[in-house]
Amino acid sequence: MPSAPASQGPADGASGRPAPGGTASAACSPGGLAASGARRLEPSNPDGTYAVLVSLTNRGPGSCVLQGFPSVAVAGQGDPRRNRPLRTVREGAARPVRLAPGGRAWVRVTLVSVLGEGDGYCASGATPVAPPSLVLGVPGGGIQVGMADGGLFAECDDRARTTAFLADRP
């Protein structure tokens, strides 16, 4: 699965200078990040989409930097080779987010809603998909994310919109 663009070393915004305090921060690695369960943002959007919010916490011993946009994939039901990338549209501008140990960043992912009850349907005529988790691509790999309420990520059309990694909760 493709991952988001990696940080090109320590950065202080677009200047490329070392982070404040004279110490450089490496790019955050998937093993050093913990993801919260995705929380659905209410209400659904009038364009037939819904959004979820995921927070990422630096659980490593040192600071790290997240930069760019995550890729998004439908999880492969326990087999990473079966992950299916979603076509993503990027929203907003990407800026480096420096995370101290325990620090958090956020990302909002917007998916096309499945319509109707029961089996549901897609307005486009595509077959709906309802995986129990998504994979957010971060530099160096991916992080599996489930819904906070234990539900499924019902989606249509294999596409998503995503914000860049954000320093402030949207």
Side-chain angles (χ1 to χ4, degrees):
M1 156 177 161
S3 63
S7 171
Q8 298 300 311
D12 172 19
S15 71
R17 293 188 302 261
T23 59
S25 296
C28 296
S29 69
L33 293 171
S36 70
R39 298 200 179 279
R40 188 174 179 137
L41 301 174
E42 295 295 336
S44 293
N45 299 315
D47 66 353
T49 63
Y50 71 96
V52 296
L53 183 65
V54 178
S55 71
L56 300 167
T57 303
N58 177 5
R59 63 179 187 191
S63 294
C64 65
V65 175
L66 274 174
Q67 185 171 333
F69 293 80
S71 57
V72 182
V74 171
Q77 308 294 326
D79 183 352
R81 294 171 298 177
R82 292 179 50 206
N83 290 353
R84 192 176 71 246
L86 302 180
R87 293 180 310 275
T88 57
V89 173
R90 296 172 173 186
E91 294 182 324
R95 293 176 182 78
V97 178
R98 184 171 185 264
L99 297 177
R104 293 183 5 175
W106 289 266
V107 66
R108 186 182 69 232
V109 177
T110 304
L111 301 164
V112 178
S113 298
V114 173
L115 304 171
E117 307 248 343
D119 291 336
Y121 66 95
C122 297
S124 66
T127 302
V129 177
S133 59
L134 296 177
V135 177
L136 291 181
V138 298
I143 299 173
Q144 195 158 345
V145 177
M147 287 293 286
D149 65 4
L152 302 175
F153 290 95
E155 66 92 12
C156 287
D157 303 334
D158 289 340
R159 61 188 171 103
R161 293 190 318 253
T162 180
T163 62
F165 298 108
L166 303 168
D168 297 312
R169 184 180 176 143

